[in-house]
């Protein structure tokens, strides 16, 4: 049986005949499931970045960890378009295209690796899209 790694934390998922949903370990699944419903201060307490986007890409929330990773203050990005104004490097099929498909789909969490290109340099991250009413929560973990 092939070894399955958690796509979010990298931990080895025990080999089992039971299919694990989306390759995310049970403990990450529990932690991530509630993220879209957290308050602003709860989002700020998370050890990984979270950006809440409307379907058309407007930034609705931007937590502390993401602010530190990207070097941008939430006030600079909330209310602006993530794909065109905040992070144009994400206006590609692999990110924006995947986001649009996710929003139009059945809400199954989607995870993939991406490279953010900040003025200060490139940062490899794991991205996870989570269903939220009217858009999605984008979780960002530095690799
Ligand atoms: Zn995990």
């Amino acid at each position: 049986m092939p070894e399955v790694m958690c796509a979010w934390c990298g931990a080895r998922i025990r080999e089992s005949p039971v299919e694990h949903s989306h390759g995310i370990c049970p403990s990450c699944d529990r932690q991530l499931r509630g993220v879209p419903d957290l308050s602003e201060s709860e989002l700020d307490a998370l050890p990984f970045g979270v950006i809440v986007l409307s379907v058309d890409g407007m930034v609705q929330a931007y937590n502390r960890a993401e602010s530190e990773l990207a070097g941008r203050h939430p006030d600079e990005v909330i209310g602006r378009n993530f794909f065109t104004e905040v992070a144009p490097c994400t206006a590609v099929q692999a990110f924006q295209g995947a986001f649009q498909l996710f929003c139009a789909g059945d809400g199954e969490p989607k995870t993939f690796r991406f490279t953010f290109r900040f003025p200060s340099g490139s940062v490899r991250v794991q991205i996870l899209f989570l269903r939220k009413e009217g858009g999605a929560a984008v979780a960002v973990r530095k690799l």
Side-chain angles (χ1 to χ4, degrees), residues 96-125:
Q96 187 176 13
F99 177 80
Q100 287 164 342
L101 278 176
F102 174 79
C103 289
D106 57 10
E108 286 292 295
K110 174 169 175 63
T111 183
F112 60 94
R113 290 189 172 192
F114 193 74
T115 301
F116 278 134
R117 306 204 181 278
F118 299 123
S120 53
S122 295
V123 181
R124 287 285 287 164
V125 293

PDB file of all heavy atoms in Angstrom, residues 96-125:
ATOM      1  N   GLN A  96      -6.046  31.227  -9.199  1.00  0.00           N
ATOM      2  CA  GLN A  96      -7.348  31.866  -9.410  1.00  0.00           C
ATOM      3  C   GLN A  96      -8.317  30.923 -10.130  1.00  0.00           C
ATOM      4  O   GLN A  96      -9.496  30.845  -9.779  1.00  0.00           O
ATOM      5  CB  GLN A  96      -7.190  33.163 -10.217  1.00  0.00           C
ATOM      6  CG  GLN A  96      -8.500  33.935 -10.317  1.00  0.00           C
ATOM      7  CD  GLN A  96      -8.341  35.274 -11.022  1.00  0.00           C
ATOM      8  OE1 GLN A  96      -7.319  35.552 -11.652  1.00  0.00           O
ATOM      9  NE2 GLN A  96      -9.353  36.116 -10.911  1.00  0.00           N
ATOM     10  N   GLY A  97      -7.797  30.201 -11.132  1.00  0.00           N
ATOM     11  CA  GLY A  97      -8.631  29.254 -11.860  1.00  0.00           C
ATOM     12  C   GLY A  97      -9.160  28.167 -10.933  1.00  0.00           C
ATOM     13  O   GLY A  97     -10.338  27.814 -10.968  1.00  0.00           O
ATOM     14  N   ALA A  98      -8.274  27.660 -10.067  1.00  0.00           N
ATOM     15  CA  ALA A  98      -8.671  26.628  -9.111  1.00  0.00           C
ATOM     16  C   ALA A  98      -9.682  27.182  -8.112  1.00  0.00           C
ATOM     17  O   ALA A  98     -10.611  26.495  -7.695  1.00  0.00           O
ATOM     18  CB  ALA A  98      -7.438  26.093  -8.384  1.00  0.00           C
ATOM     19  N   PHE A  99      -9.497  28.448  -7.730  1.00  0.00           N
ATOM     20  CA  PHE A  99     -10.417  29.094  -6.788  1.00  0.00           C
ATOM     21  C   PHE A  99     -11.818  29.201  -7.393  1.00  0.00           C
ATOM     22  O   PHE A  99     -12.816  28.902  -6.733  1.00  0.00           O
ATOM     23  CB  PHE A  99      -9.881  30.483  -6.424  1.00  0.00           C
ATOM     24  CG  PHE A  99     -10.786  31.254  -5.507  1.00  0.00           C
ATOM     25  CD1 PHE A  99     -10.801  31.000  -4.145  1.00  0.00           C
ATOM     26  CD2 PHE A  99     -11.620  32.237  -6.007  1.00  0.00           C
ATOM     27  CE1 PHE A  99     -11.651  31.707  -3.298  1.00  0.00           C
ATOM     28  CE2 PHE A  99     -12.472  32.958  -5.175  1.00  0.00           C
ATOM     29  CZ  PHE A  99     -12.485  32.686  -3.816  1.00  0.00           C
ATOM     30  N   GLN A 100     -11.876  29.610  -8.654  1.00  0.00           N
ATOM     31  CA  GLN A 100     -13.178  29.753  -9.308  1.00  0.00           C
ATOM     32  C   GLN A 100     -13.879  28.404  -9.456  1.00  0.00           C
ATOM     33  O   GLN A 100     -15.078  28.288  -9.220  1.00  0.00           O
ATOM     34  CB  GLN A 100     -13.005  30.449 -10.672  1.00  0.00           C
ATOM     35  CG  GLN A 100     -12.711  31.934 -10.482  1.00  0.00           C
ATOM     36  CD  GLN A 100     -12.159  32.620 -11.727  1.00  0.00           C
ATOM     37  OE1 GLN A 100     -11.680  31.958 -12.651  1.00  0.00           O
ATOM     38  NE2 GLN A 100     -12.209  33.941 -11.735  1.00  0.00           N
ATOM     39  N   LEU A 101     -13.094  27.380  -9.817  1.00  0.00           N
ATOM     40  CA  LEU A 101     -13.656  26.030  -9.913  1.00  0.00           C
ATOM     41  C   LEU A 101     -14.168  25.573  -8.547  1.00  0.00           C
ATOM     42  O   LEU A 101     -15.233  24.975  -8.434  1.00  0.00           O
ATOM     43  CB  LEU A 101     -12.588  25.038 -10.396  1.00  0.00           C
ATOM     44  CG  LEU A 101     -12.333  24.979 -11.896  1.00  0.00           C
ATOM     45  CD1 LEU A 101     -11.186  24.013 -12.179  1.00  0.00           C
ATOM     46  CD2 LEU A 101     -13.601  24.529 -12.622  1.00  0.00           C
ATOM     47  N   PHE A 102     -13.377  25.883  -7.508  1.00  0.00           N
ATOM     48  CA  PHE A 102     -13.760  25.486  -6.150  1.00  0.00           C
ATOM     49  C   PHE A 102     -15.078  26.142  -5.753  1.00  0.00           C
ATOM     50  O   PHE A 102     -15.983  25.492  -5.231  1.00  0.00           O
ATOM     51  CB  PHE A 102     -12.651  25.869  -5.162  1.00  0.00           C
ATOM     52  CG  PHE A 102     -13.031  25.621  -3.728  1.00  0.00           C
ATOM     53  CD1 PHE A 102     -12.977  24.341  -3.197  1.00  0.00           C
ATOM     54  CD2 PHE A 102     -13.452  26.659  -2.920  1.00  0.00           C
ATOM     55  CE1 PHE A 102     -13.344  24.108  -1.884  1.00  0.00           C
ATOM     56  CE2 PHE A 102     -13.821  26.430  -1.606  1.00  0.00           C
ATOM     57  CZ  PHE A 102     -13.775  25.148  -1.089  1.00  0.00           C
ATOM     58  N   CYS A 103     -15.183  27.452  -6.005  1.00  0.00           N
ATOM     59  CA  CYS A 103     -16.403  28.181  -5.622  1.00  0.00           C
ATOM     60  C   CYS A 103     -17.626  27.663  -6.375  1.00  0.00           C
ATOM     61  O   CYS A 103     -18.736  27.676  -5.858  1.00  0.00           O
ATOM     62  CB  CYS A 103     -16.233  29.680  -5.861  1.00  0.00           C
ATOM     63  SG  CYS A 103     -15.112  30.460  -4.697  1.00  0.00           S
ATOM     64  N   ALA A 104     -17.410  27.216  -7.609  1.00  0.00           N
ATOM     65  CA  ALA A 104     -18.526  26.730  -8.420  1.00  0.00           C
ATOM     66  C   ALA A 104     -18.827  25.257  -8.143  1.00  0.00           C
ATOM     67  O   ALA A 104     -19.839  24.732  -8.586  1.00  0.00           O
ATOM     68  CB  ALA A 104     -18.194  26.904  -9.902  1.00  0.00           C
ATOM     69  N   GLY A 105     -17.948  24.608  -7.392  1.00  0.00           N
ATOM     70  CA  GLY A 105     -18.066  23.164  -7.197  1.00  0.00           C
ATOM     71  C   GLY A 105     -18.863  22.790  -5.960  1.00  0.00           C
ATOM     72  O   GLY A 105     -19.607  23.604  -5.401  1.00  0.00           O
ATOM     73  N   ASP A 106     -18.638  21.568  -5.509  1.00  0.00           N
ATOM     74  CA  ASP A 106     -19.446  21.038  -4.412  1.00  0.00           C
ATOM     75  C   ASP A 106     -18.851  21.329  -3.033  1.00  0.00           C
ATOM     76  O   ASP A 106     -19.365  20.876  -2.027  1.00  0.00           O
ATOM     77  CB  ASP A 106     -19.643  19.532  -4.594  1.00  0.00           C
ATOM     78  CG  ASP A 106     -18.311  18.792  -4.670  1.00  0.00           C
ATOM     79  OD1 ASP A 106     -17.260  19.406  -4.396  1.00  0.00           O
ATOM     80  OD2 ASP A 106     -18.317  17.596  -4.996  1.00  0.00           O
ATOM     81  N   GLY A 107     -17.745  22.093  -2.989  1.00  0.00           N
ATOM     82  CA  GLY A 107     -17.192  22.506  -1.698  1.00  0.00           C
ATOM     83  C   GLY A 107     -16.231  21.528  -1.067  1.00  0.00           C
ATOM     84  O   GLY A 107     -15.782  21.733   0.053  1.00  0.00           O
ATOM     85  N   GLU A 108     -15.879  20.466  -1.781  1.00  0.00           N
ATOM     86  CA  GLU A 108     -14.860  19.558  -1.263  1.00  0.00           C
ATOM     87  C   GLU A 108     -13.571  20.348  -1.082  1.00  0.00           C
ATOM     88  O   GLU A 108     -13.143  21.042  -2.018  1.00  0.00           O
ATOM     89  CB  GLU A 108     -14.598  18.434  -2.272  1.00  0.00           C
ATOM     90  CG  GLU A 108     -15.690  17.404  -2.331  1.00  0.00           C
ATOM     91  CD  GLU A 108     -15.763  16.580  -1.063  1.00  0.00           C
ATOM     92  OE1 GLU A 108     -14.800  15.853  -0.778  1.00  0.00           O
ATOM     93  OE2 GLU A 108     -16.764  16.695  -0.340  1.00  0.00           O
ATOM     94  N   PRO A 109     -12.937  20.308   0.113  1.00  0.00           N
ATOM     95  CA  PRO A 109     -11.704  21.070   0.311  1.00  0.00           C
ATOM     96  C   PRO A 109     -10.673  20.735  -0.767  1.00  0.00           C
ATOM     97  O   PRO A 109     -10.565  19.595  -1.194  1.00  0.00           O
ATOM     98  CB  PRO A 109     -11.217  20.603   1.688  1.00  0.00           C
ATOM     99  CG  PRO A 109     -12.440  20.129   2.371  1.00  0.00           C
ATOM    100  CD  PRO A 109     -13.317  19.546   1.293  1.00  0.00           C
ATOM    101  N   LYS A 110      -9.936  21.760  -1.196  1.00  0.00           N
ATOM    102  CA  LYS A 110      -8.923  21.543  -2.225  1.00  0.00           C
ATOM    103  C   LYS A 110      -7.585  22.057  -1.719  1.00  0.00           C
ATOM    104  O   LYS A 110      -7.497  23.161  -1.191  1.00  0.00           O
ATOM    105  CB  LYS A 110      -9.320  22.278  -3.506  1.00  0.00           C
ATOM    106  CG  LYS A 110      -8.220  22.194  -4.562  1.00  0.00           C
ATOM    107  CD  LYS A 110      -8.649  22.674  -5.917  1.00  0.00           C
ATOM    108  CE  LYS A 110      -7.483  22.683  -6.903  1.00  0.00           C
ATOM    109  NZ  LYS A 110      -6.928  21.341  -7.160  1.00  0.00           N
ATOM    110  N   THR A 111      -6.545  21.246  -1.870  1.00  0.00           N
ATOM    111  CA  THR A 111      -5.226  21.660  -1.405  1.00  0.00           C
ATOM    112  C   THR A 111      -4.190  21.469  -2.510  1.00  0.00           C
ATOM    113  O   THR A 111      -4.291  20.549  -3.326  1.00  0.00           O
ATOM    114  CB  THR A 111      -4.832  20.891  -0.114  1.00  0.00           C
ATOM    115  OG1 THR A 111      -3.578  21.380   0.339  1.00  0.00           O
ATOM    116  CG2 THR A 111      -4.762  19.395  -0.322  1.00  0.00           C
ATOM    117  N   PHE A 112      -3.213  22.395  -2.551  1.00  0.00           N
ATOM    118  CA  PHE A 112      -2.145  22.327  -3.560  1.00  0.00           C
ATOM    119  C   PHE A 112      -0.977  23.199  -3.096  1.00  0.00           C
ATOM    120  O   PHE A 112      -1.118  24.011  -2.184  1.00  0.00           O
ATOM    121  CB  PHE A 112      -2.659  22.793  -4.931  1.00  0.00           C
ATOM    122  CG  PHE A 112      -3.185  24.209  -4.963  1.00  0.00           C
ATOM    123  CD1 PHE A 112      -2.385  25.272  -5.325  1.00  0.00           C
ATOM    124  CD2 PHE A 112      -4.507  24.469  -4.598  1.00  0.00           C
ATOM    125  CE1 PHE A 112      -2.872  26.575  -5.338  1.00  0.00           C
ATOM    126  CE2 PHE A 112      -5.007  25.772  -4.610  1.00  0.00           C
ATOM    127  CZ  PHE A 112      -4.189  26.825  -4.982  1.00  0.00           C
ATOM    128  N   ARG A 113       0.165  22.997  -3.741  1.00  0.00           N
ATOM    129  CA  ARG A 113       1.342  23.825  -3.419  1.00  0.00           C
ATOM    130  C   ARG A 113       1.421  24.996  -4.370  1.00  0.00           C
ATOM    131  O   ARG A 113       1.021  24.893  -5.527  1.00  0.00           O
ATOM    132  CB  ARG A 113       2.613  22.981  -3.519  1.00  0.00           C
ATOM    133  CG  ARG A 113       2.654  21.996  -2.401  1.00  0.00           C
ATOM    134  CD  ARG A 113       3.960  21.268  -2.296  1.00  0.00           C
ATOM    135  NE  ARG A 113       3.902  20.504  -1.050  1.00  0.00           N
ATOM    136  CZ  ARG A 113       4.930  19.910  -0.494  1.00  0.00           C
ATOM    137  NH1 ARG A 113       6.106  19.960  -1.073  1.00  0.00           N
ATOM    138  NH2 ARG A 113       4.797  19.263   0.634  1.00  0.00           N
ATOM    139  N   PHE A 114       1.967  26.097  -3.860  1.00  0.00           N
ATOM    140  CA  PHE A 114       2.055  27.297  -4.677  1.00  0.00           C
ATOM    141  C   PHE A 114       3.278  28.104  -4.227  1.00  0.00           C
ATOM    142  O   PHE A 114       3.757  27.945  -3.108  1.00  0.00           O
ATOM    143  CB  PHE A 114       0.773  28.141  -4.505  1.00  0.00           C
ATOM    144  CG  PHE A 114       0.637  29.236  -5.525  1.00  0.00           C
ATOM    145  CD1 PHE A 114       0.286  28.952  -6.836  1.00  0.00           C
ATOM    146  CD2 PHE A 114       0.871  30.559  -5.181  1.00  0.00           C
ATOM    147  CE1 PHE A 114       0.177  29.961  -7.782  1.00  0.00           C
ATOM    148  CE2 PHE A 114       0.759  31.574  -6.114  1.00  0.00           C
ATOM    149  CZ  PHE A 114       0.414  31.280  -7.419  1.00  0.00           C
ATOM    150  N   THR A 115       3.778  28.953  -5.129  1.00  0.00           N
ATOM    151  CA  THR A 115       4.874  29.852  -4.772  1.00  0.00           C
ATOM    152  C   THR A 115       4.377  31.287  -4.847  1.00  0.00           C
ATOM    153  O   THR A 115       3.989  31.761  -5.918  1.00  0.00           O
ATOM    154  CB  THR A 115       6.073  29.670  -5.725  1.00  0.00           C
ATOM    155  OG1 THR A 115       6.513  28.312  -5.657  1.00  0.00           O
ATOM    156  CG2 THR A 115       7.215  30.600  -5.326  1.00  0.00           C
ATOM    157  N   PHE A 116       4.344  31.954  -3.688  1.00  0.00           N
ATOM    158  CA  PHE A 116       4.006  33.379  -3.657  1.00  0.00           C
ATOM    159  C   PHE A 116       5.241  34.169  -4.057  1.00  0.00           C
ATOM    160  O   PHE A 116       6.342  33.888  -3.588  1.00  0.00           O
ATOM    161  CB  PHE A 116       3.610  33.815  -2.241  1.00  0.00           C
ATOM    162  CG  PHE A 116       2.190  33.520  -1.868  1.00  0.00           C
ATOM    163  CD1 PHE A 116       1.910  32.955  -0.634  1.00  0.00           C
ATOM    164  CD2 PHE A 116       1.127  33.824  -2.706  1.00  0.00           C
ATOM    165  CE1 PHE A 116       0.597  32.691  -0.254  1.00  0.00           C
ATOM    166  CE2 PHE A 116      -0.183  33.561  -2.342  1.00  0.00           C
ATOM    167  CZ  PHE A 116      -0.442  32.995  -1.120  1.00  0.00           C
ATOM    168  N   ARG A 117       5.051  35.170  -4.898  1.00  0.00           N
ATOM    169  CA  ARG A 117       6.181  36.034  -5.261  1.00  0.00           C
ATOM    170  C   ARG A 117       5.980  37.393  -4.605  1.00  0.00           C
ATOM    171  O   ARG A 117       5.233  38.225  -5.092  1.00  0.00           O
ATOM    172  CB  ARG A 117       6.281  36.145  -6.779  1.00  0.00           C
ATOM    173  CG  ARG A 117       6.353  34.769  -7.406  1.00  0.00           C
ATOM    174  CD  ARG A 117       6.989  34.708  -8.765  1.00  0.00           C
ATOM    175  NE  ARG A 117       6.976  33.336  -9.253  1.00  0.00           N
ATOM    176  CZ  ARG A 117       7.860  32.410  -8.922  1.00  0.00           C
ATOM    177  NH1 ARG A 117       8.876  32.717  -8.135  1.00  0.00           N
ATOM    178  NH2 ARG A 117       7.761  31.182  -9.387  1.00  0.00           N
ATOM    179  N   PHE A 118       6.627  37.558  -3.469  1.00  0.00           N
ATOM    180  CA  PHE A 118       6.565  38.824  -2.736  1.00  0.00           C
ATOM    181  C   PHE A 118       7.730  39.695  -3.170  1.00  0.00           C
ATOM    182  O   PHE A 118       8.744  39.185  -3.655  1.00  0.00           O
ATOM    183  CB  PHE A 118       6.664  38.573  -1.225  1.00  0.00           C
ATOM    184  CG  PHE A 118       5.549  37.724  -0.670  1.00  0.00           C
ATOM    185  CD1 PHE A 118       5.837  36.561   0.015  1.00  0.00           C
ATOM    186  CD2 PHE A 118       4.223  38.098  -0.830  1.00  0.00           C
ATOM    187  CE1 PHE A 118       4.819  35.768   0.542  1.00  0.00           C
ATOM    188  CE2 PHE A 118       3.195  37.319  -0.311  1.00  0.00           C
ATOM    189  CZ  PHE A 118       3.500  36.156   0.374  1.00  0.00           C
ATOM    190  N   PRO A 119       7.612  41.015  -2.954  1.00  0.00           N
ATOM    191  CA  PRO A 119       8.753  41.892  -3.277  1.00  0.00           C
ATOM    192  C   PRO A 119      10.023  41.436  -2.562  1.00  0.00           C
ATOM    193  O   PRO A 119      11.127  41.575  -3.083  1.00  0.00           O
ATOM    194  CB  PRO A 119       8.293  43.256  -2.762  1.00  0.00           C
ATOM    195  CG  PRO A 119       6.796  43.188  -2.792  1.00  0.00           C
ATOM    196  CD  PRO A 119       6.448  41.759  -2.479  1.00  0.00           C
ATOM    197  N   SER A 120       9.853  40.841  -1.370  1.00  0.00           N
ATOM    198  CA  SER A 120      11.010  40.412  -0.576  1.00  0.00           C
ATOM    199  C   SER A 120      11.548  39.053  -1.003  1.00  0.00           C
ATOM    200  O   SER A 120      12.565  38.595  -0.487  1.00  0.00           O
ATOM    201  CB  SER A 120      10.602  40.357   0.897  1.00  0.00           C
ATOM    202  OG  SER A 120       9.444  39.550   1.033  1.00  0.00           O
ATOM    203  N   GLY A 121      10.838  38.373  -1.927  1.00  0.00           N
ATOM    204  CA  GLY A 121      11.317  37.069  -2.377  1.00  0.00           C
ATOM    205  C   GLY A 121      10.185  36.073  -2.511  1.00  0.00           C
ATOM    206  O   GLY A 121       9.034  36.385  -2.209  1.00  0.00           O
ATOM    207  N   SER A 122      10.520  34.866  -2.967  1.00  0.00           N
ATOM    208  CA  SER A 122       9.515  33.827  -3.176  1.00  0.00           C
ATOM    209  C   SER A 122       9.335  32.982  -1.926  1.00  0.00           C
ATOM    210  O   SER A 122      10.298  32.721  -1.220  1.00  0.00           O
ATOM    211  CB  SER A 122       9.938  32.914  -4.326  1.00  0.00           C
ATOM    212  OG  SER A 122       9.958  33.649  -5.524  1.00  0.00           O
ATOM    213  N   VAL A 123       8.096  32.578  -1.680  1.00  0.00           N
ATOM    214  CA  VAL A 123       7.799  31.717  -0.535  1.00  0.00           C
ATOM    215  C   VAL A 123       6.927  30.562  -1.005  1.00  0.00           C
ATOM    216  O   VAL A 123       5.860  30.779  -1.580  1.00  0.00           O
ATOM    217  CB  VAL A 123       7.054  32.504   0.579  1.00  0.00           C
ATOM    218  CG1 VAL A 123       6.770  31.584   1.770  1.00  0.00           C
ATOM    219  CG2 VAL A 123       7.856  33.712   1.028  1.00  0.00           C
ATOM    220  N   ARG A 124       7.418  29.325  -0.750  1.00  0.00           N
ATOM    221  CA  ARG A 124       6.644  28.132  -1.087  1.00  0.00           C
ATOM    222  C   ARG A 124       5.611  27.881   0.000  1.00  0.00           C
ATOM    223  O   ARG A 124       5.929  27.900   1.187  1.00  0.00           O
ATOM    224  CB  ARG A 124       7.547  26.897  -1.184  1.00  0.00           C
ATOM    225  CG  ARG A 124       8.413  26.873  -2.420  1.00  0.00           C
ATOM    226  CD  ARG A 124       7.643  26.525  -3.681  1.00  0.00           C
ATOM    227  NE  ARG A 124       7.259  25.111  -3.754  1.00  0.00           N
ATOM    228  CZ  ARG A 124       6.330  24.657  -4.600  1.00  0.00           C
ATOM    229  NH1 ARG A 124       5.679  25.481  -5.390  1.00  0.00           N
ATOM    230  NH2 ARG A 124       6.049  23.377  -4.636  1.00  0.00           N
ATOM    231  N   VAL A 125       4.380  27.656  -0.411  1.00  0.00           N
ATOM    232  CA  VAL A 125       3.309  27.450   0.567  1.00  0.00           C
ATOM    233  C   VAL A 125       2.401  26.297   0.150  1.00  0.00           C
ATOM    234  O   VAL A 125       2.359  25.923  -1.019  1.00  0.00           O
ATOM    235  CB  VAL A 125       2.432  28.723   0.737  1.00  0.00           C
ATOM    236  CG1 VAL A 125       3.219  29.854   1.377  1.00  0.00           C
ATOM    237  CG2 VAL A 125       1.842  29.159  -0.604  1.00  0.00           C
TER     238      VAL A 125
END
